Amino acid sequence: MASLFLFDQKTSTRYLLCQITDATDTRRSIEICHGGTRGTDDDACDIMGVAAISIALLLLQNANALSITESSRAQTARSRLSEAFRSPSKKLTLHPEIVLPEPSDPTALLLRASEVSKLSEVLRTRAKANAVFVEGTVDALAPMGKEQEDARGNFPGPIPIVYSLTDTADLSNSLEKLQTVDGVEGVLLSFFGGKEIDSVDAYLEEAKNSAITEMCSAIWDAGLQPIPELVLTPGSEWSEEDVERLVDAVKDTCGGLDPVSIVFTNGEVAKSEEESNEEEGDEDSTPELSIPASISKRLAFIGSIRTSAGGGRMNQATSQLSSDKFNGAFLRADCVPGYRLNPDLNVVGGFWSAAIGDLKSLKSKNFSFRSKVKLEKDIPMEWFNYQKDVMDSGALGKTGGGADPSLNPDAGDYKGF
């Protein structure tokens, strides 16, 4: 129902110009209310009445479209996350995942706040991550949020924090606590409980009976950004048309607003690594999508990387995402060797500093250069020695036998990350 009133300030009288209960009813009925009396005139409609009906119909037709809106706080969060997820130079942005432990030892519980603050500073100043995804309790997250917010106005500045929601049943309580934590800009929401999808039709079928729209609305109302995570079936094919339909379907599921980003995860990698932490399996380690340019302008595409570090596997995975036109890489905690057995935050911070620095480095990692300069009178001999040193250093490649078959220049340091 839509109503339009006119209020006379001099006489404190309210006039009900029009009241329509059905947008499909084209009868021009005007209900007039004056001084508490009410009458109906179906035969005469003056100019003001016609205008009132038109406005009321417009309000009624747009009522559903205005059901979900972003608060100013949510719009600020969208701006900060958009800046973090996209690089002006079109390079891949890097976002590590941090799993904050919940210690049972009272002493460790007291020291956790300082360790989390130190880790936050390391990720911001040394690792230079673009954003960070954090899994754990909101209480454990609070020191990281404070450290990031305190860095606002400094260089390097704060990086956005995305909270990974593991229990959707506790969403209301988590959002209430997150509103008191500075630095948190978004909530990672795994659609359909992490169930794999292999087509747009499969997504639409799963979305029929889900409560995702209500959850996204609650996150926006809390001043944060919902970030959907979709788990794709390995080997499934996604053409540009499929990706466009999928993004439109996600928009509808979220309540009619485009999310700031969508995280795509390959389901097979998660399964294989749960079965065996030592299984390397580089094939199908990243989601494969044909991303159209028109859709990439609407939101950021983030691809998950779960491959364990070493042998240039992380370099290879990020290169694959970049070639597939993803905007960023979600570096999962599975990349950290033995992180489940040793969740030492100092070790985790040191690992991400080295790994992200290596992934962002433009320096060659395949050879070292060594030269000697001797100030002697025998110039020809010195020139010969100099050339020999250069050749021995390997800077010009090996003189025999070809290149090392295990060397992978495209993936970076074959003995590194």
Side-chain angles (χ1 to χ4, degrees):
M1 183 178 67
S3 302
L4 184 64
F5 293 93
L6 179 65
F7 184 74
D8 187 350
Q9 294 183 346
K10 293 183 179 180
T11 61
S12 298
T13 304
R14 185 184 65 169
Y15 300 90
L16 178 59
L17 296 179
C18 178
Q19 187 176 67
I20 298 178
T21 58
D22 186 359
T24 62
D25 184 6
T26 58
R27 291 188 311 112
R28 298 184 298 175
S29 64
I30 305 174
E31 296 177 327
I32 304 173
C33 178
H34 176 70
T37 62
R38 183 174 182 145
T40 302
D41 183 0
D42 291 329
D43 299 327
C45 294
D46 56 14
I47 297 177
M48 181 175 291
V50 174
I53 292 177
S54 301
I55 296 174
L57 283 171
L58 181 62
L59 292 174
L60 184 60
Q61 291 171 352
N62 291 339
N64 293 332
L66 299 175
S67 58
I68 294 182
T69 58
E70 289 184 312
S71 64
S72 58
R73 173 66 183 86
Q75 291 175 0
T76 301
R78 177 182 287 271
S79 175
R80 291 173 178 173
L81 288 173
S82 297
E83 184 179 353
F85 289 156
R86 296 175 182 271
S87 171
S89 60
K90 308 298 183 181
K91 294 180 180 179
L92 201 69
T93 56
L94 303 176
H95 320 284
E97 179 184 38
I98 303 297
V99 179
L100 297 179
E102 191 66 22
S104 56
D105 185 0
T107 303
L109 189 63
L110 292 174
L111 296 176
R112 182 182 63 183
S114 61
E115 292 181 356
V116 172
S117 296
K118 291 179 182 178
L119 173 62
S120 176
E121 184 179 4
V122 168
L123 294 174
R124 179 174 57 84
T125 59
R126 291 173 52 191
K128 293 181 173 60
N130 297 100
V132 57
F133 289 74
V134 181
E135 178 183 325
T137 63
V138 179
D139 294 335
L141 173 65
M144 179 177 292
K146 184 178 184 304
E147 194 281 329
Q148 294 294 336
E149 192 64 25
D150 290 345
R152 196 167 300 282
N154 297 335
F155 183 82
I159 58 177
I161 299 174
V162 178
Y163 180 70
S164 298
L165 184 67
T166 56
D167 184 9
T168 56
D170 194 39
L171 175 63
S172 179
N173 185 42
S174 298
L175 290 178
E176 184 178 354
K177 292 182 178 180
L178 285 172
Q179 287 180 289
T180 64
V181 179
D182 295 327
V184 179
E185 310 293 351
V187 177
L188 181 67
L189 192 60
S190 183
F191 276 23
F192 319 129
K195 185 176 181 179
E196 296 179 8
I197 59 172
D198 58 1
S199 65
V200 180
D201 292 336
Y203 174 90
L204 295 175
E205 185 65 27
E206 292 293 334
K208 285 182 179 178
N209 301 319
S210 68
I212 295 176
T213 303
E214 290 76 10
M215 289 188 286
C216 291
S217 178
I219 294 173
W220 266 312
D221 289 342
L224 304 173
Q225 288 292 325
I227 301 178
E229 180 185 18
L230 302 180
V231 181
L232 306 181
T233 302
S236 56
E237 298 181 358
W238 297 86
S239 64
E240 291 189 358
E241 182 181 355
D242 292 334
V243 173
E244 186 171 356
R245 288 182 57 208
L246 180 62
V247 171
D248 289 337
V250 171
K251 176 182 176 180
D252 293 338
T253 306
C254 291
L257 288 178
D258 273 327
V260 66
S261 172
I262 299 179
V263 174
F264 293 91
T265 302
N266 192 303
E268 183 180 12
V269 177
K271 289 182 180 179
S272 65
E273 291 195 359
E274 287 176 0
E275 294 171 0
S276 174
N277 286 334
E278 296 181 357
E279 184 178 347
E280 295 185 358
D282 290 335
E283 296 184 359
D284 296 330
S285 61
T286 57
E288 296 184 5
L289 300 173
S290 298
I291 303 175
S294 58
I295 295 297
S296 63
K297 295 178 181 179
R298 288 170 48 184
L299 49 82
F301 286 76
I302 307 295
S304 289
I305 294 179
R306 292 182 180 271
T307 183
S308 59
R313 289 185 290 272
M314 290 181 66
N315 271 287
Q316 184 177 356
T318 54
S319 297
Q320 182 63 42
L321 289 179
S322 182
S323 63
D324 289 341
K325 300 180 182 179
F326 277 83
N327 301 105
F330 181 14
L331 308 175
R332 310 302 286 253
D334 306 76
C335 298
V336 184
Y339 83 100
R340 298 183 187 275
L341 301 176
N342 182 27
D344 189 329
L345 297 184
N346 291 327
V347 174
V348 171
F351 171 83
W352 286 124
S353 296
I356 296 178
D358 182 80
L359 295 176
K360 287 187 174 183
S361 176
L362 299 178
K363 296 180 179 179
S364 173
K365 308 174 183 67
N366 301 324
F367 64 86
S368 60
F369 183 83
R370 178 173 57 90
S371 64
K372 292 190 298 183
V373 178
K374 296 181 180 180
L375 299 178
E376 295 183 359
K377 294 182 179 180
D378 193 349
I379 302 301
M381 182 58 67
E382 291 304 314
W383 176 247
F384 170 81
N385 291 335
Y386 175 78
Q387 289 181 316
K388 186 175 184 301
D389 288 338
V390 172
M391 295 176 66
D392 291 341
S393 70
L396 302 179
K398 294 188 176 181
T399 56
D404 189 341
S406 62
L407 183 64
N408 191 348
D410 295 332
D413 189 357
Y414 70 98
K415 292 296 184 182
F417 294 96

